Amino acid sequence: MFGDFDFKIIVESLPFLWEGMQTTFLLTVVAIIGGIILGTLLALSRLSGFKPLAFIAGSYVNFFRSMPLILVIFWFYFLVPLVLGRPVGGFYSVLVAFVLFEAAYYCEIIRAGVQSVRPDQIYAGQALGLRYSQNMRYIVLPQAFRNMIPILLTQAIILFQDTSLVYVVGIKDFLVSADLVANRENRVLELFVTVAIVYFVLCLAGSLFVRRLQRSYAL
Amino acid sequence: MIDISKVSKWYGEFQVLDQCSTRIAKGEVVVVCGPSGSGKSTLIKCVNGLELFQRGEITVDGTSVGAKGTNLPVLRSKIGMVFQNFELFPHISVIDNIKLAQIKVLGRDEGEAAENGLGLLRRVGLDEQAYKYPAQLSGGQQQRVAIARALAMDPIAMLFDEPTSALDPEMINEVLDVMVELASDGMTMMVVTHEMGFARKVADRVVFMDEGRIEEDCTKDEFFGAPRGERAQSFLSKILQH
Ligand SMILES: Nc1ncnc2c1ncn2[C@@H]1O[C@H](COP(=O)(O)OP(=O)(O)O)[C@@H](O)[C@H]1O
Ligand SMILES: [Mg+2]
C-alpha cells in the first residue's frame, strides 16, 4: 500500500493546497479577532449591573453554546443571503457564523478573566477616581487578557481545527483543497496523510508555544 | 473634614457596622484599631464610597458620600487611599502607575504628570525605580510607590488600610517614616493600623472598633493612659506584647 506512495503529487499540489490554507488562516484570524471583540462586549454586558443587557448577553451565550457549530454554519450559509436580500458568497456567510459562534465562547473566557482580577485592584482604580469604563479599560481588561493568554491561544488552536467544518458548504479551505486533489489524482492516501501531518504540526507547535509562554511568564 | 455620623451597614443579615460616628478635623491624624473582622476596612472604604452603607451619613469636605447626586469618582479623586497589599497596577511601570489617574482623571498632560510623579518618587526615595515594574520592587518600596501614587492626586485627605501588615518587619519602618513625614506636613489622615508606635508618635486620636461598633474614640493620651473598656484593654495588651 505504501509502496507506491507518491511524494511528487504532494509537491506538485503544494501551491494549490497553500491557497486553501490561506482561506483556513483567514477564517481563523478573522474569527479570533471578531470573536474576541464581540466576546469582550458580551462579557462586559454580562458583568454590567444592568439586568436587561446582562440577560440578553447571557441568553446569546447559552444559545450558541448549545448549538453544534456545523448547524450554525449551515444556517448562516442559507440565512445571511436571505437577510441581506442578495447573494454574498458562502465565504462571508461562514465568516459571520464563525465570529458569532466563537464570540459566545470568548465571552465566557473573558468573563472568567475579568473575575480573576483581584477586587482590591478594582478598588484601587476607583479610589484614584477612575470611572467604571476607565477602570475596565486601563486596569481590569489589560490584566484579564494577560491572565487569559494561554486559554485564548488554546481556543485559537481549537478554532483552527474547527474551521475545517466549512467543507459542508463547499468552501475551499485547506482540507477541501486536499480532498479535490485527492479525488482528481486518485491519491487519497498521500493527500490525507499530508493534511494530517500539517494540522498536527501546526497545532503541536501552537500548544508548545502556549506551554513555553506559561512557563516563562508563570501565567 | 471627614464626618462619620451613625453609619450602619449590613451584608444581608449580618451587621458589619453599627451606628459608627467619628470626626476627623483638617490636619488631624486618627488611628483606627481593633481585632480582625471588627469592620475597620469596611468603615474606611465607606469614607470614599468604595463600600455602600444603608444608614447614617458620611460627609467629606462638605460633600455627602451616600447622597444620590454625588459624583463619586470626583470625590474619590480628592481622597488618597493606600491598601494593605499595595495594589499597584502590575501591568504598567511605576511611573505609569503614578501618571495614569493624573492624566485620565485630572486631565494633566504627560509632561506635567511625569514631572509631578518623579518629584513624589524622589520624596519617598524611589526616583531611581521609576521605570521598573511593581513586581521588581520590594514590598516596602511598592507601598511607598502606592503612597506617592495617591499623593500625586493632591488629595485633601489620606486613608490607609493596614499599610504595613503585609510587609516583612524590616520594611515596616521605611513606610511608617513616609507616613510620619506626611502627618507632620499637616495631612489629614485616617489610618487603620496596629502599629502602636506610630499611633503614639503622630496620632491625635485613637478609635477602637469591636464587632462593628466604635467602642473607644479618644485622644492618644487617654487611649494609652487612662482606664478604658475591657475589650480595648485586652486588645491593647495583646498588641503590645509583640
Ligand atoms: N463582601 C462581604 N460579604 C459579607 N461579609 C463581609 C464582606 N466583607 C467583609 N465581610 C465581613 O465583615 C466583617 C468586617 O470585615 P472587615 O471590615 O474586613 O474587618 P477588618 O478590616 O476590621 O478586619 C468581617 O466579619 C467580614 O467577614
Ligand atoms: Mg481589614
Side-chain angles (χ1 to χ4, degrees):
Chain A
M1 185 182 180
F2 283 94
D4 62 344
F5 197 92
D6 186 0
F7 286 100
K8 216 171 92 238
I9 187 69
I10 298 171
V11 176
E12 277 171 1
S13 57
L14 276 182
F16 186 71
L17 292 180
W18 171 238
E19 263 176 49
M21 185 52 95
Q22 283 176 316
T23 302
T24 296
F25 280 151
L26 185 62
L27 255 175
T28 306
V29 169
V30 172
I32 289 174
I33 295 173
I36 288 181
I37 292 172
L38 183 57
T40 304
L41 294 176
L42 285 166
L44 292 178
S45 304
R46 284 202 84 169
L47 291 166
S48 79
F50 188 54
K51 289 256 162 60
L53 199 61
F55 177 78
I56 293 170
S59 309
Y60 176 99
V61 169
N62 288 330
F63 177 77
F64 275 101
R65 292 213 309 173
S66 45
M67 286 291 146
L69 175 56
I70 198 159
L71 198 62
V72 178
I73 292 171
F74 257 131
W75 272 3
F76 277 81
Y77 184 71
F78 295 112
L79 208 67
V80 172
L82 273 182
V83 170
L84 293 180
R86 63 190 169 85
V88 286
F91 183 71
Y92 290 102
S93 303
V94 162
L95 214 47
V96 171
F98 266 96
V99 168
L100 294 183
F101 184 84
E102 288 301 317
Y105 286 85
Y106 280 118
C107 168
E108 292 307 275
I109 293 174
I110 292 161
R111 194 162 70 110
V114 166
Q115 286 169 337
S116 76
V117 177
R118 295 205 334 283
D120 275 353
Q121 281 281 308
I122 299 170
Y123 281 139
Q126 286 179 328
L128 285 166
L130 295 175
R131 282 179 275 109
Y132 180 84
S133 57
Q134 290 177 317
N135 213 8
M136 272 291 166
R137 173 158 168 216
Y138 300 114
I139 311 300
V140 180
L141 286 179
Q143 291 187 59
F145 274 105
R146 220 173 63 157
N147 296 344
M148 289 181 310
I149 287 172
I151 184 148
L152 285 176
L153 286 173
T154 305
Q155 181 70 17
I157 294 168
I158 297 170
L159 173 58
F160 172 68
Q161 296 168 347
D162 281 353
T163 55
S164 59
L165 284 177
V166 297
Y167 86 90
V168 294
V169 290
I171 308 284
K172 239 167 63 184
D173 76 334
F174 180 57
L175 180 63
V176 169
S177 304
D179 188 41
L180 287 173
V181 178
N183 286 320
R184 189 182 63 212
E185 307 287 339
N186 203 13
R187 287 288 176 186
V188 174
L189 182 72
E190 283 83 349
L191 268 302
F192 278 85
V193 167
T194 307
V195 166
I197 290 173
V198 168
Y199 271 109
F200 178 76
V201 167
L202 286 176
C203 293
L204 183 70
S207 305
L208 291 177
F209 178 68
V210 173
R211 214 171 306 159
R212 234 191 71 183
L213 212 62
Q214 274 172 313
R215 229 179 297 130
S216 51
Y217 289 97
L219 288 167
Chain B
M1 169 77 61
I2 299 172
D3 197 336
I4 302 172
S5 167
K6 294 193 176 149
V7 168
S8 295
K9 175 179 173 67
W10 288 261
Y11 284 118
E13 296 279 283
F14 175 68
Q15 184 163 16
V16 53
L17 296 177
D18 185 2
Q19 304 256 340
C20 292
S21 299
T22 190
R23 313 174 73 126
I24 301 171
K26 190 164 189 296
E28 213 177 10
V29 176
V30 172
V31 161
V32 180
C33 60
S36 166
S38 57
K40 307 178 298 292
S41 297
T42 307
L43 182 65
I44 205 170
K45 282 191 175 117
C46 284
V47 172
N48 62 352
L50 292 180
E51 293 280 3
L52 306 173
F53 47 93
Q54 287 90 355
R55 295 258 175 83
E57 192 178 29
I58 298 179
T59 59
V60 179
D61 202 25
T63 307
S64 170
V65 177
K68 272 233 147 53
T70 301
N71 188 333
L72 276 179
V74 169
L75 181 66
R76 288 180 187 132
S77 70
K78 296 187 207 162
I79 309 169
M81 185 159 201
V82 175
F83 296 82
Q84 182 170 355
N85 291 305
F86 332 130
E87 306 307 335
L88 294 181
F89 307 130
H91 58 294
I92 54 179
S93 67
V94 162
I95 188 70
D96 285 342
N97 262 273
I98 303 180
K99 277 159 62 184
L100 181 74
Q102 290 189 70
I103 294 169
K104 302 298 173 195
V105 177
L106 301 181
R108 290 181 182 155
D109 65 42
E110 281 278 332
E112 192 187 357
E115 197 179 323
N116 190 29
L118 287 171
L120 284 160
L121 281 176
R122 202 167 307 126
R123 189 167 150 194
V124 298
L126 292 171
D127 42 328
E128 299 198 338
Q129 320 290 335
Y131 298 98
K132 290 192 177 162
Y133 281 81
Q136 294 171 281
L137 305 187
S138 73
Q141 291 175 324
Q142 289 190 49
Q143 195 61 301
R144 284 186 280 154
V145 172
I147 294 172
R149 180 176 73 180
L151 291 176
M153 305 297 284
D154 297 327
I156 57 174
M158 289 280 289
L159 310 174
F160 293 82
D161 189 2
E162 304 209 32
T164 57
S165 32
L167 295 176
D168 293 335
E170 70 271 18
M171 292 174 187
I172 291 177
N173 280 328
E174 66 189 61
V175 171
L176 289 180
D177 288 347
V178 171
M179 292 169 61
V180 169
E181 197 193 307
L182 205 54
S184 53
D185 284 351
M187 177 60 78
T188 307
M189 293 163 68
M190 178 172 177
V191 185
V192 176
T193 186
H194 292 158
E195 292 295 330
M196 289 302 131
F198 172 81
R200 278 216 168 86
K201 205 188 244 171
V202 299
D204 295 296
R205 280 187 302 117
V206 178
V207 166
F208 173 75
M209 288 186 73
D210 193 32
E211 295 183 348
R213 280 184 302 276
I214 291 184
E215 296 285 2
E216 311 268 341
D217 183 351
C218 50
T219 67
K220 160 178 66 178
D221 294 336
E222 279 172 335
F223 188 77
F224 290 112
R228 66 197 83 83
E230 209 177 291
R231 302 276 202 150
Q233 264 176 12
S234 82
F235 173 77
L236 203 54
S237 68
K238 261 185 231 146
I239 284 278
L240 293 178
Q241 268 167 19
H242 289 290

